[in-house]
């Protein structure tokens, strides 16, 4: 592992050149950029139609326009915590799932790393399918008469190519693409908001949402930001060590907040006026005819921008799991699995709904995982022994046979609580009925924090720099 992480086929981090670095630490001489770059990364990658769907779901759970908007805003604020976690990348020059070895141990970190790769690929497949269907519909609107499955096949090829090419080139190209795609997407989604917001019904419903409605709305809104917890350092590891926590937090946090809240509110407004069971058709019905092709292009663009960062991080993830390849070669595995999954969903059987249900269930793991990781980062004041993170059993993060008892105990405690209080399509915890239908899955993160802090207070200490 040490040899593979230290001997990547390094090269300069430049736009439209294949990035040579993977999870090996970025040398100070190759650090560049500034915190402002993170604004465009998180702003662009979250200009995705998913947030429109999430906003509509909050209304479906019984919340009024203003109640749902409040939940959307609170969910958006969580991006400031996600962005702050990127300081670990500045300090160590490596990826988040390498840094989390400090909390779980080298071997203890492996199971969550595998699940995170599954989640990354799963959401990339879902985004690819959504983008492909939007592009296929756009072909039809433009009058391009392509018979049979030809239009869908071409649409899939275009969507995959746009995503894979950017992610393959690597870090600099990812940031470049997110910035420039954000310009166009921001204008388009701003127009969407202008079209749907004035007609919103702001009156409160006759019957309130109840505890279950509130809890489900929060789970939906916070699940998206929580899914990024294993990623922030992936995009800050090239920043100079002098980058401040304040600048980092505000730049990235504001980017994710603005895009997720704007699109979430658009979804809330649309749901008060139309049936959003089919969110694309529901929103499209509220738009003028001339804008509908542009709306489909927005869905495609948002799907691609989100897929780019998940696919890119998945290649680093594979290196963490021990794949003895460079990042650019490892990403071929992720791209191939994404292509096969998308082909199956589009041409063989519609398993997209089942896949989404499975991925949403994994919050039982990732909410507690995120709680432990963030608590560990705070206890260590975001200082780590960078060499030990890559040293395997010879390093200080090997703990007991590669497992950190404190981290694993806290993770399991949080997972048990999350499983007992989860209300999803595939699993309903035994405590949900006693809680009046409330879903408290996300509080698994808090349970993990409360268990981890007293167990690790003496061992998870700041490293002298």
């Amino acid at each position: 592992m040490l040899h593979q992480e230290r001997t990547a086929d390094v090269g300069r981090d430049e736009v439209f050149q294949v990035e040579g670095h993977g999870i090996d630490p970025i040398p100070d001489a190759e650090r560049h950029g500034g915190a402002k770059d993170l604004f465009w990364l998180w702003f662009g990658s979250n200009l995705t139609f998913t947030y429109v769907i999430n906003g509509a779901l909050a209304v479906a759970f019984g919340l009024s326009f203003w109640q749902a908007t409040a939940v959307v805003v609170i969910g958006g604020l969580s991006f400031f915590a996600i962005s702050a976690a990127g300081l670990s990348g500045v300090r160590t020059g490596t990826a988040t799932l390498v840094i989390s070895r400090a909390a779980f141990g080298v071997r203890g970190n492996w199971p969550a790393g595998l699940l995170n790769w599954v989640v990354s690929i799963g959401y990339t497949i879902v985004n690819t399918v959504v983008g492909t269907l939007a592009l296929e519909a756009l072909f039809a609107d433009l009058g391009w008469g392509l018979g049979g499955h030809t239009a869908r096949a071409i649409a899939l090829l275009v969507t995959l190519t746009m995503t894979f090419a950017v992610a393959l080139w690597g870090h600099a190209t990812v940031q470049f693409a997110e910035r420039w795609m954000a310009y166009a997407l921001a204008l388009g989604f701003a127009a969407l908001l202008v079209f749907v917001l004035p007609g919103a019904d702001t009156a409160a419903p006759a019957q309130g949402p109840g505890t279950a409605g509130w809890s489900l709305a929060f789970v939906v809104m916070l699940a998206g930001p929580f899914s990024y917890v294993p990623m922030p350092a992936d995009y800050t590891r090239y920043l100079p060590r002098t980058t401040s926590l304040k600048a980092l937090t505000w730049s990235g946090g504001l980017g994710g907040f603005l895009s997720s809240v704007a699109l979430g509110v658009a979804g809330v407004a649309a749901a008060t006026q139309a049936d959003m069971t089919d969110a694309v058709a529901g929103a499209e019905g509220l738009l003028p005819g001339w804008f509908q092709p542009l709306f489909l292009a927005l869905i495609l663009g948002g799907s691609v921008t989100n897929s780019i960062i998940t696919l890119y991080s998945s290649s680093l993830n594979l290196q963490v799991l021990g794949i003895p390849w460079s990042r650019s070669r490892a990403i071929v595995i992720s791209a191939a699995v994404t292509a096969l999954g998308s082909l199956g969903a589009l041409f063989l059987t519609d398993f997209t709904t089942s896949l989404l249900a499975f991925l949403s269930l994994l919050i039982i793991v990732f909410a507690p995982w995120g709680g432990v990781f963030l608590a560990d980062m705070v206890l260590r004041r975001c200082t780590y022994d960078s060499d030990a993170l890559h040293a395997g059993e010879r390093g200080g993060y090997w703990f007991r046979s590669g497992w950190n008892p404190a981290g694993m105990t806290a993770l399991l405690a949080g997972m048990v609580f999350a499983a007992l209080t989860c209300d999803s399509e595939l699993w309903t915890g035994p405590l949900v009925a006693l809680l009046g239908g409330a879903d408290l899955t996300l509080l698994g993160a808090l349970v993990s924090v409360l268990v981890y802090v007293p167990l690790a207070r003496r061992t998870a200490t700041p490293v002298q720099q």
Side-chain angles (χ1 to χ4, degrees), residues 285-301:
L286 300 173
L287 304 174
W290 64 266
F291 188 76
Q292 290 177 8
L294 294 176
F295 172 66
L296 294 171
L298 289 175
I299 295 175
L300 168 64

Side-chain angles (χ1 to χ4, degrees), residues 43-300:
F43 181 72
S45 63
N46 286 285
L47 285 170
T48 172
F49 193 70
T50 300
Y51 289 105
V52 176
I53 297 172
N54 291 348
L57 283 173
V59 175
F61 294 144
L63 275 66
S64 69
F65 174 86
W66 293 112
Q67 289 170 334
T69 297
V71 174
V72 167
V73 171
I74 293 171
L77 289 172
S78 63
F79 276 101
F80 288 94
I82 302 300
S83 188
L87 183 63
S88 59
V90 174
R91 295 278 177 81
T92 63
T94 192
T96 304
L97 283 169
V98 174
I99 300 165
S100 59
R101 291 169 177 169
F104 300 100
V106 176
R107 287 177 173 166
N109 192 56
W110 201 92
L114 178 60
L115 282 177
N116 184 70
W117 183 78
V118 171
V119 170
S120 296
I121 296 303
Y123 278 118
T124 306
I125 291 172
V126 171
N127 277 325
T128 300
V129 169
V130 170
T132 298
L133 294 176
L135 185 55
E136 181 185 16
L138 180 59
F139 289 161
D141 281 2
L142 295 176
W144 297 358
L146 301 172
H149 291 306
T150 304
R152 182 167 293 186
I154 293 174
L156 174 60
L157 180 61
V158 170
T159 305
L160 285 171
T161 300
M162 292 171 65
T163 304
F164 175 67
V166 174
L168 174 66
W169 272 316
H171 175 266
T173 310
V174 167
Q175 289 196 319
F176 176 84
E178 293 290 351
R179 175 191 288 265
W180 286 99
M181 292 180 74
Y183 294 155
L185 291 174
L187 289 174
F189 279 119
L192 172 68
L193 195 60
V194 168
F195 289 132
V196 302
L197 194 57
D201 180 1
T202 58
Q207 185 175 356
T211 305
W214 279 104
S215 66
L216 289 170
F218 273 111
V219 167
V220 166
M221 293 302 170
L222 291 169
F226 253 92
S227 69
Y228 291 121
V229 173
M231 294 186 191
D234 301 2
Y235 303 100
T236 59
R237 68 195 206 283
Y238 277 95
L239 293 178
R241 292 183 188 272
T242 54
T243 306
S244 72
L245 174 61
K246 180 180 179 181
L248 199 76
T249 302
W250 275 101
S251 295
L254 188 61
F257 175 83
L258 289 176
S259 51
S260 64
V261 169
L263 270 63
V265 171
V268 171
T272 65
Q273 305 169 66
D275 180 5
M276 294 289 282
T277 304
D278 181 341
V280 173
E284 196 172 17
L286 300 173
L287 304 174
W290 64 266
F291 188 76
Q292 290 177 8
L294 294 176
F295 172 66
L296 294 171
L298 289 175
I299 295 175
L300 168 64

Side-chain angles (χ1 to χ4, degrees), residues 13 19 21 26 30-33 171 236-240 312:
D13 183 42
E19 176 193 5
H21 284 295
I26 307 300
E30 298 182 37
R31 304 284 192 98
H32 62 88
H171 175 266
T236 59
R237 68 195 206 283
Y238 277 95
L239 293 178
Y312 174 79

